[in-house]
Amino acid sequence: MRVQAARARTRTLREPGQIPLGRLDASRCTVATHSMATDHAMPDELAAPAAAAPSASVSRLSTTPGPVVLALLMVCAAVYAGELSGPLLFDDQQAIVDNSSIRTLALGQALAPPQETPVAGRPVANLSLALDYVVLGGSALSFHATNLLLHALVALLAYLLLRESFAAALLPAPVRASAGALAAASALIFCAHPLAVELVLYATQRTESLAALFYLAALLGVALAARAGSCRRLWPAVLGVGLLGAGSKEVFVTAPVVALFFDRAFFAGSFARALRERWPVHASLAASWLATLWLAHGDPRPGSVRFAEWGYLIAQAKIVPGYFVAALWPAHPALDYGPLLPQSLATSWPYLLGSGLAATLAVVVAFVRPLPGFFGVWVLGILAPSSSLLSIHTEVGAERRFYLPLIALIAVGVLVTSQLTWWAVERHPQLQHTGRRVLASALGLLLLALVASARAHAGDFATLRAAWQSAVQARPDNPRAHYNLAETLRREGELGGAEAALRATLQLQDDYADAHANLAGLLLARGAVDEALPHLLRAAQLLPSDPQAHFNYGLALGMAGRFADAAGELQRSLQLAPNQPRVRLSLASALFQLQRFDAARTQAMWLVEHVPEDLRGRALLQRIDAQQAASAAQPSQPTAP
């Protein structure tokens, strides 16, 4: 009865639609209180045409978000039930399987991840993996379950942050009146979105969800400080969140800047007022830059991450628009975009021009119209580190980088939809109840579609083969996806399929040395030595400093009966790495075939001395002695007079 009475009273207030979305009213810039934000009765609130009195805001905002938490858990269960037992894959090999630093909870080791791994320079993420490994046993299921918990927490924080933001005094009255419902709808859509599947079922990618968790927590700290009117109790928490975020992933470096734009757009109305009233919070968050600098000082990924490069920027101009497409129409999410390949400016300038204009427009709008412009700042600020400032050579693109910007995109979509509904109700009041039902039905259908799409994508992570088949389908021009599919098929015994996938790899990238070597291995296995030799030669040319490449080529040359060439390649391999017993054995055999017995004896003696347990060296030495004795016993041919 009280709720109905409150709604009846709201009809006497300002009619909806009179304050356009994002327009500031100077008379309200100094208001410190929030308008009412309801958390329950979502369909009714989505269509609410007016705001309640500002005095009701604090009590409604403090209501426990229990129903929303329950709804988020139901969505998580609907998407991921039965899907968490998939294998570890790709980067998980380095970050988990081969990572000895997660075998203990000793902080000196768990907070020191190895270089050139997905967790290098990310001690908080590495510690979370150590907790899973030590406490939960380190199974793939345990890592995926923790990732799901992190995703649910990110969705919950998104709800809390959007609820505070939509209830800000600088927003239009209809938005403030429906803040809780709008935030809940946004969080549910985000929770069910297929783009999040990779962060749940790809264990290593919790780096993204951890960074998102602390990023949202930092913005929520700013919002709570604005509502409380005091920073005394919040700045230590924001400081801790900032340090944790910096230790999770480098993208957090933009959080202090985005937080300042957020404060200015939703609460303060200006940068000066935001800094004057909440400088302890902003200073605490900016302290995370010190942690970022300290972590970057050790250069954790020198071989894969460099400062902005022209070729990488060209690639991003093509890739980033695809993130928006994948967010709006997630038909085939891509597991892997592949490494950075050479880019041509002649064919890429339209993408560069379009991306540059879009980024410039977003920055201009952010300064001219702070409220709508903030969503552009949110997207640009989060994408900037990995899509412009830093060049990640081993992974030119990744749709998971759009995980946090996705929240902004969804929030804008929900706001625009609700605004259009309010305008329709304002012009046709008889549609008010119909509008509620339409919005509720639309939200339900959208969630069902997203859950179905997400479950289908989750099936791509059930096996390694499914994962790489999906990657090839999503990015057929990615040579690394074809290569990893070939390796998976080879390990499963499907050699024909593996050979076809390797040939597809080389059609896309002829200088893929590992693909040449592995294709040659398959050809040698079926006796096609002559066909394998060009691929092994190409691999040795591409990897001149790799002793394995020269050994493989030399071994195949010996199989083809070209013992002199084989001896040369095997000697090159030994020059690069002298302590290789199998190379010395092969070289001794080649020299034996060339009847260079003294040189062959030298290699065989090395084997006997250094690897006495390997009887092949002794056997070869006996053959050499026997052959030399037989040669000495043969009578010399008389010389013609």
Side-chain angles (χ1 to χ4, degrees), residues 102-108 110 127 130-131 134-135:
I102 67 171
R103 305 295 188 266
T104 175
L105 292 180
L107 295 183
L127 179 60
L131 285 168
V134 175
V135 177

Side-chain angles (χ1 to χ4, degrees), residues 10-28 48-51 170-176 369 418-427 429:
T10 61
R11 297 193 182 100
T12 64
L13 301 179
R14 183 189 298 272
E15 290 294 322
Q18 294 182 8
I19 305 175
L21 181 62
R23 180 174 297 174
L24 297 183
D25 185 342
S27 64
R28 299 191 309 192
L170 297 183
L171 266 72
V175 176
R176 289 182 285 129
R369 300 291 300 274
S418 61
Q419 187 73 62
L420 292 174
T421 303
W422 292 327
W423 284 342
V425 170
E426 180 185 22
R427 287 164 175 74

Side-chain angles (χ1 to χ4, degrees), residues 551-608:
F551 170 66
N552 291 340
Y553 186 36
L555 198 63
L557 287 169
M559 295 172 64
R562 296 166 55 182
F563 298 113
D565 294 334
E569 286 298 318
L570 294 170
Q571 286 171 340
R572 291 188 188 92
S573 180
L574 284 178
Q575 289 172 356
L576 295 168
N579 297 322
Q580 299 184 82
R582 60 177 182 169
V583 179
R584 289 187 180 271
L585 179 63
S586 298
L587 177 57
S589 298
L591 293 171
F592 177 81
Q593 295 294 334
L594 294 170
Q595 296 188 358
R596 294 169 56 184
F597 298 122
D598 291 338
R601 173 183 286 278
T602 300
Q603 301 302 326
M605 287 297 298
W606 187 97
L607 288 168
V608 171

Side-chain angles (χ1 to χ4, degrees), residues 201-222:
L201 300 181
Y202 189 173
T204 303
Q205 303 317 324
R206 71 172 53 176
T207 55
E208 201 77 47
S209 52
L210 280 169
L213 184 72
F214 297 124
Y215 212 117
L216 294 175
L219 297 181
L220 183 60
V222 172

